[in-house]
């Protein structure tokens, strides 16, 4: 699923035409899509409320482990000014989730530092997650909050970096 949210811009002046809207890529893991989608939807809603909404493209990857490479490729293709990663890494009863979560977060930080493009994480690893209605509801609601927070952080960071360039 690749979704795009485009901002409307006035092309009445030459200056406005020369300035393109910021582009944000959301790279989201498909595992636990019903929960992860809450962060995506919340981030998109938060961007829409912005005075200058960025263009947003949503990219699906199989799982959280694939997010850093996909983010890096999007950045190297000059497809975005920032990346937001969304995923849920759960404890499946073995210790593997700790390694996956660490690899994803370390990978995202490396991509950010290597490319000089901001990368934000809404990749969460709950201490204990069970596929029961109570946990699914709790984490779905939590992902709404995280989607809003990550979108705000993205907008503030991009604005701050833009101001420093001028």
């Amino acid at each position: 699923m690749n979704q795009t949210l485009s901002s409307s811009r006035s092309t009445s002046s030459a200056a406005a035409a020369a300035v393109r809207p910021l582009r944000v890529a959301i790279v989201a893991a498909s595992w636990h899509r019903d929960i992860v989608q809450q962060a995506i939807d919340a981030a998109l809603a938060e961007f829409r409320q912005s005075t200058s909404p960025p263009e947003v493209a949503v990219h699906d990857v199989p799982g959280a482990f694939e997010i850093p490479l996909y983010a890096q490729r999007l950045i190297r293709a000059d497809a975005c000014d920032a990346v937001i990663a969304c995923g849920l890494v759960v404890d499946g009863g073995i210790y593997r989730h700790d390694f996956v979560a660490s690899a994803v977060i370390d990978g995202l930080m490396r991509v950010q530092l290597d490319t000089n493009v901001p990368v934000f994480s809404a990749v969460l690893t709950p201490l204990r997650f069970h596929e029961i209605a109570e946990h699914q509801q709790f984490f779905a609601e939590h992902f709404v909050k995280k989607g809003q927070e990550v979108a705000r952080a993205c907008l503030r960071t991009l604005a701050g970096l833009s101001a420093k360039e001028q």
Side-chain angles (χ1 to χ4, degrees):
M1 151 170 111
N2 287 340
Q3 302 172 2
T4 303
L5 165 70
S6 297
S7 64
S8 59
R9 346 178 249 165
S10 169
T11 56
S12 59
S13 72
V19 176
R20 68 166 172 74
L22 292 171
R23 300 160 302 152
V24 175
I26 297 177
V27 182
S30 296
W31 283 93
H32 300 283
R33 168 55 77 195
D34 52 333
I35 295 173
V36 174
Q37 188 66 44
Q38 300 306 307
I40 297 166
D41 292 344
L44 292 173
E46 195 70 29
F47 284 136
R48 281 187 204 101
Q49 293 177 14
S50 168
T51 55
S52 298
E55 290 180 355
V56 181
V58 178
H59 305 272
D60 288 332
V61 294
F65 198 74
E66 292 79 22
I67 294 173
L69 176 61
Y70 206 94
Q72 183 182 60
R73 293 247 178 132
L74 287 169
I75 293 167
R76 287 185 177 166
D78 195 29
C80 57
D81 300 302
V83 173
I84 294 176
C86 295
L88 179 64
V89 180
V90 300
D91 178 354
I94 57 173
Y95 58 88
R96 182 176 181 268
H97 72 284
D98 288 339
F99 298 119
V100 171
S102 180
V104 171
I105 298 305
D106 291 348
L108 292 173
M109 182 57 74
R110 193 176 108 216
V111 168
Q112 176 176 246
L113 295 175
D114 289 352
T115 63
N116 205 30
V117 171
V119 177
F120 302 88
S121 176
V123 177
L124 303 181
T125 307
L127 180 59
R128 290 193 173 64
F129 175 83
H130 302 286
E131 296 204 33
I132 58 173
E134 182 180 353
H135 281 201
Q136 290 175 333
Q137 180 181 347
F138 173 82
F139 286 105
E141 291 170 6
H142 189 63
F143 264 70
V144 170
K145 181 179 177 183
K146 290 304 166 190
Q148 294 165 340
E149 290 174 350
V150 77
R152 284 186 216 124
C154 179
L155 291 170
R156 288 184 66 194
T157 300
L158 289 173
L161 291 173
S162 177
K164 290 183 190 309
E165 291 175 358
Q166 296 174 1

